[in-house]
């Protein structure tokens, strides 16, 4: 996508988010307290939504749905068109396998790794290998490496020299144990592998205030390399909140950093106040245009829209009643001066009553609710829970616009720092809802004689 097209896309996304900011910035738990259905949904949309079946709600949220079985208000049809044209596409792209490796090695590396994590690290490693070939750089820093599953795949399958930075020292020690265990198995079982050098693990938190000089020093120390022109790539698989923005800044400011691949998450943890270490906006373009997002908008952008569509399609929609239970409970909490207090997560089970839900959700509080209140709100839930689900669905419909604004801002930032960059839906969004890899590599500058 060209710079002008990106500007058009982010401007449109921002304008639409501005139009529906009040809807986006509404807690579903406040549905009854603040009368969301009557005050935050237009009459034309309400009349339309009240007639929709759950299958049609899933069509509304599904960007790929072509044969619609409903006639929507013109404003809603325009919104769907904008979503399809200007938000970043979520349909998974194909990332071909570069080469096959010994099945025994993969079996060893995948041991005790969940399927979601396997999916993510296999595809992310392919993207990193492509970047390494283009930059001729096979040193890589894995930030937020956890148990080191991605690092081991990069090292043993693709031949990278890997160092990791992980804030949790317990995970670092476990990663070291796994490295040693797997390395011994490779030798004892005569399994073929690329790299004899195990990942180098460091217990370190990458702070927002970290300078590029200190970052480079830490990288060189981890690799035990003092070369002036030492080069490396950066990878971050779901760096949380401001860590994603920090990694992009360190990449852009570090001459030794040749490429970066990150998949962001937890947008609601971004710092949204303008400042030197702001999580959003990051780019000069968005700062100059005074783009602003809110906590609730960013929180909505973290939801799993495809998974929710799948849930809606399930026969028997009673499990969606849990949204209404939570909103009704909020009314009871407000009566006890506990509005917006954290409650326990309760999984919906067939036959779960509102009374039982309240008991389970408020275990940590010493609360006794009035029986007449419980009965009144249970009746309210029975009469209106479908409205709550449809209100939640409206907010979810807008979520990709918010995520697109955040990712377009990061794309602008990388373009401003003279990088080849792209945003690719690398993961299957049904498996990994935050499925976009933001990939960049430095543009080689001509040598002047």
């Amino acid at each position: 996508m060209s710079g002008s097209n990106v500007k058009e896309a982010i401007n449109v996304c921002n304008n639409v988010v501005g139009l529906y900011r009040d809807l986006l910035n509404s807690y579903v738990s406040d549905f009854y307290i603040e009368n969301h259905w009557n005050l935050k949904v237009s009459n034309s949309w309400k009349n339309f939504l009240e007639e929709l079946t759950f299958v049609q709600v899933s069509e509304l949220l599904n960007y790929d749905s072509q044969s619609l079985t409903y006639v929507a208000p013109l404003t809603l049809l325009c919104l769907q068109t904008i979503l399809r044209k200007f938000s970043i596409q979520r349909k998974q792209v194909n990332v071909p396998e570069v080469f096959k490796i010994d099945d025994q090695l993969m079996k060893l590396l995948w041991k005790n790794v969940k399927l979601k994590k396997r999916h993510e690290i296999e595809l992310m490693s392919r993207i990193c290998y492509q970047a390494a070939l283009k930059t001729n750089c096979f040193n890589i820093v894995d930030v937020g490496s956890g148990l080191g599953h991605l690092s081991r795949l990069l090292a043993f399958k693709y031949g990278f020299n890997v160092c990791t930075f992980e804030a949790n020292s317990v995970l670092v020690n476990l990663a070291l144990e796994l490295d040693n265990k797997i390395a011994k198995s490779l030798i004892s079982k005569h399994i073929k592998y690329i790299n004899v050098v195990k990942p180098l693990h460091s217990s370190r938190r990458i702070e927002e205030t970290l300078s590029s000089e200190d970052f480079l020093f830490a990288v060189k120390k981890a690799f035990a390399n003092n070369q002036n022109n030492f080069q490396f790539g950066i990878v971050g698989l779901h760096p949380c909140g401001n860590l994603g923005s920090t990694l992009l800044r360190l990449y852009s400011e570090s001459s030794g950093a040749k490429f970066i691949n990150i998949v962001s998450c937890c947008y609601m943890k971004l710092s949204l106040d303008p400042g030197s270490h702001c999580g959003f906006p990051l780019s000069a373009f968005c700062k100059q245009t005074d783009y602003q997002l809110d906590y609730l908008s960013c929180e909505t952008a973290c939801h799993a829209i495809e998974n929710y569509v799948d849930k809606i399609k399930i026969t028997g929609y009673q499990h969606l009643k849990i949204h209404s239970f939570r909103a009704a409970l909020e009314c009871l909490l407000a009566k006890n001066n506990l509005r917006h207090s954290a409650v326990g997560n309760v999984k919906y089970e067939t036959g779960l009553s509102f009374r039982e839900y309240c008991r389970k959700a408020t275990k940590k509080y010493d609360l006794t609710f009035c029986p007449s209140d419980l009965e009144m709100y249970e009746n309210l839930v029975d009469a209106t829970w479908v409205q709550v689900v449809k209100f939640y669905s409206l907010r979810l419909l807008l979520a990709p616009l918010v995520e697109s604004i955040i990712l377009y801002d990061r794309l602008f930032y990388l373009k401003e720092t003279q990088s080849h960059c792209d945003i690719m839906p690398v993961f299957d969004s049904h498996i990994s809802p935050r499925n976009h890899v933001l990939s960049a590599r430095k543009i080689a500058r001509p040598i002047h004689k």
Side-chain angles (χ1 to χ4, degrees), residues 32-96:
Y32 297 119
I33 290 178
E34 297 184 0
N35 196 12
H36 287 342
W37 190 248
N38 291 315
L39 297 181
K40 297 190 177 181
V41 184
S42 68
N43 287 331
S44 63
W45 284 25
K46 269 195 304 184
N47 294 335
F48 163 70
L49 289 169
E50 283 173 350
E51 297 298 321
L52 278 192
T53 65
F54 279 110
V55 171
Q56 289 171 327
V57 171
S58 71
E59 289 179 11
L60 181 70
L61 293 173
N62 186 357
Y63 289 7
D64 297 325
S65 183
Q66 298 298 322
S67 55
L68 302 180
T69 60
Y70 55 78
V71 179
L74 184 58
T75 51
L76 201 50
L77 290 174
C78 289
L79 178 58
Q80 284 182 308
T81 301
I82 288 170
L83 284 162
R84 289 192 181 101
K85 183 175 181 181
F86 295 104
S87 64
I88 299 173
Q89 296 303 301
R90 296 178 56 77
K91 188 174 181 179
Q92 184 184 16
V93 297
N94 180 47
V95 182

Side-chain angles (χ1 to χ4, degrees), residues 21 45-46 64 66 73 87 89 94 104 119 144 158 212 286 306 316 334 344 349 366 375-376 383 415 447 449:
R21 192 175 300 277
W45 284 25
K46 269 195 304 184
D64 297 325
Q66 298 298 322
S87 64
Q89 296 303 301
N94 180 47
Q104 285 185 290
H119 174 75
Y158 290 96
S212 57
C286 289
E306 288 83 8
E349 297 175 353
D366 184 19
E375 182 179 0
M376 178 184 73
K415 286 180 178 292
I447 299 174
K449 294 182 180 180

Side-chain angles (χ1 to χ4, degrees), residues 284-437:
F285 172 79
C286 289
K287 288 178 180 178
Q288 292 164 3
T289 319
D290 196 27
Y291 283 170
Q292 295 180 2
L293 290 174
D294 306 284
Y295 171 87
L296 271 179
S297 298
C298 294
E299 191 272 339
T300 303
C302 292
H303 289 197
I305 189 168
E306 288 83 8
N307 289 341
Y308 193 71
V309 169
D310 291 340
K311 284 183 181 180
I312 290 177
K313 290 178 179 178
I314 295 173
T315 303
Y317 310 105
Q318 293 294 313
H319 60 287
L320 300 174
K321 190 183 281 190
I322 205 80
H323 297 300
S324 186
F325 278 177
R326 179 63 185 89
L329 173 59
E330 190 67 22
C331 299
L332 295 173
L333 292 173
K335 284 189 174 184
N336 288 271
N337 297 316
L338 290 170
R339 191 173 176 188
H340 292 166
S341 296
V343 298
N345 185 35
V346 181
K347 185 177 181 180
Y348 186 86
E349 297 175 353
T350 303
L352 179 69
S353 67
F354 177 61
R355 186 186 303 268
E356 182 66 8
Y357 169 82
C358 291
R359 185 189 68 79
K360 290 182 176 180
T362 60
K363 275 183 179 179
K364 67 178 180 179
Y365 300 108
D366 184 19
L367 292 174
T368 302
F369 298 122
C370 175
S372 61
D373 283 346
L374 289 169
E375 182 179 0
M376 178 184 73
Y377 284 113
E378 184 140 39
N379 291 334
L380 179 64
V381 166
D382 288 340
T384 60
W385 70 271
V386 173
Q387 291 179 354
V388 180
V389 171
K390 291 177 178 179
F391 181 80
Y392 177 86
S393 299
L394 275 182
R395 295 180 71 245
L396 202 56
L397 180 67
L398 296 163
L401 291 173
V402 180
E403 182 170 31
S404 294
I405 290 172
I406 295 169
L407 294 179
Y408 282 141
D409 170 54
R410 294 179 172 190
L411 189 68
F412 268 123
Y413 177 76
L414 291 170
K415 286 180 178 292
E416 290 165 359
T417 56
Q418 301 300 304
S419 286
H420 292 290
C421 47
D422 198 6
I423 304 171
M424 300 171 289
V426 171
F427 305 151
D428 182 339
S429 57
H430 293 268
I431 300 173
S432 183
R434 306 280 65 79
N435 69 325
H436 295 101
V437 174

Side-chain angles (χ1 to χ4, degrees), residues 88 120-121 123-129 131 140-145 150 154 206 215 232-252 257-267 270 279 282 403 406-414 420-427 432-441:
I88 299 173
E120 293 169 348
I121 66 178
L123 291 171
M124 177 61 101
S125 64
R126 294 181 194 180
I127 295 294
C128 290
Y129 187 71
I140 196 165
V141 182
D142 181 4
V143 181
S145 53
L150 173 60
L154 289 170
I206 302 300
F215 178 64
F232 57 93
I234 300 172
V235 62
L237 186 51
H238 294 133
C240 185
N242 279 359
L243 180 56
S245 302
T246 299
L247 292 181
L248 293 173
R249 176 182 63 80
L250 292 172
Y251 158 79
S252 68
K258 294 304 172 185
F259 66 85
I260 184 170
N261 294 305
I262 65 169
V263 183
S264 302
C265 71
C266 302
Y267 300 129
L270 287 170
L282 193 62
E403 182 170 31
I406 295 169
L407 294 179
Y408 282 141
D409 170 54
R410 294 179 172 190
L411 189 68
F412 268 123
Y413 177 76
L414 291 170
H420 292 290
C421 47
D422 198 6
I423 304 171
M424 300 171 289
V426 171
F427 305 151
S432 183
R434 306 280 65 79
N435 69 325
H436 295 101
V437 174
L438 182 57
S439 182
R441 67 181 191 277

